[in-house]
Structures are given as structure tokens and as C-alpha cells.
């Protein structure tokens, strides 16, 4: 069940899925993307997109709505663009 006010595209997304979606977003724009799993404590890693970066927590756990917004902001990705990239893939 989707929580009230949540975007169905964001519900249940874990760190691994976030990295994959960012990769698709970046590829469509010709932007370089790289995930460095050694650049972070424990199960954390750093995702580089162009000249920007963000920390990705445990790739197996779900990403909360607030953390997702912060990570997208760190990378300079508009939430609407991020969601549109996913919707295009489904068609």
C-alpha cells in the first residue's frame, strides 16, 4: 500500500535502485556517473554524478522521502526530472 502523499515511483526504492535510476538519468544527459563503495563508512558509499556527489547509505535498505530529497539536491537533480526518467523507461 502506498502511504498518503507519497509518490508511487519513490515508495520502496532502496540504495541500489537509486544508483541505477541516477545512472539512467545521467546517461540520458551525457553526464558521467561513478559509485565508489570504498568511499564511506561500513555499508555507505559515494555516488559521483558529474562534479557533484552524495553519500548512499546501505544499498539494501529503503530510502526515506527526506533522504531521497537531500540526495537529489546534493546531485543537482530535479525530482520531476528524476521521476520522468523512470517513467520513460517503463513505456
Amino acid at each position: 500500500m502506498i502511504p498518503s502523499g507519497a509518490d508511487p515511483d519513490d515508495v520502496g526504492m532502496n540504495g541500489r535502485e537509486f544508483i541505477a535510476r541516477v545512472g539512467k538519468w545521467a546517461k540520458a544527459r551525457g553526464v558521467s556517473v561513478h559509485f565508489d563503495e570504498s568511499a564511506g563508512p561500513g555499508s555507505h558509499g559515494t555516488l559521483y554524478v558529474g562534479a557533484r556527489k552524495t553519500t548512499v547509505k546501505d544499498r539494501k535498505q529503503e530510502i526515506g522521502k527526506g533522504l531521497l530529497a537531500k540526495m537529489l539536491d546534493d546531485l543537482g537533480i530535479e525530482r520531476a526530472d528524476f521521476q520522468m526518467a523512470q517513467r520513460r523507461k517503463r513505456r
Side-chain angles (χ1 to χ4, degrees), residues 77-91:
I77 300 173
E78 294 290 329
R79 188 178 184 113
D81 289 343
F82 187 66
Q83 292 167 337
M84 288 301 290
Q86 181 65 13
R87 288 186 180 119
R88 282 188 208 114
K89 177 195 157 234
R90 290 182 185 166
R91 292 180 185 179

Side-chain angles (χ1 to χ4, degrees), residues 4-7 10 62-72 79:
S4 174
D7 188 309
D10 298 337
E62 282 190 28
I63 298 171
K65 189 175 182 178
L67 180 57
L68 175 63
K70 184 202 178 303
M71 292 165 65
L72 291 174
R79 188 178 184 113

Side-chain angles (χ1 to χ4, degrees), residues 8 11 14 19-20 23-24 28-29 33 35 37 39 42-44 47 58 73 79-80 89 91:
V11 175
N14 64 28
I19 294 166
K24 290 172 186 162
R29 288 157 180 79
V33 64
F35 181 72
E37 62 185 55
S43 60
H44 292 56
L47 180 63
D58 186 344
D73 186 56
R79 188 178 184 113
K89 177 195 157 234
R91 292 180 185 179

Side-chain angles (χ1 to χ4, degrees), residues 52-63:
R52 301 184 82 156
K53 66 180 181 175
T54 194
T55 299
V56 179
K57 292 170 62 172
D58 186 344
R59 287 170 276 157
K60 296 178 184 176
Q61 292 185 350
E62 282 190 28
I63 298 171

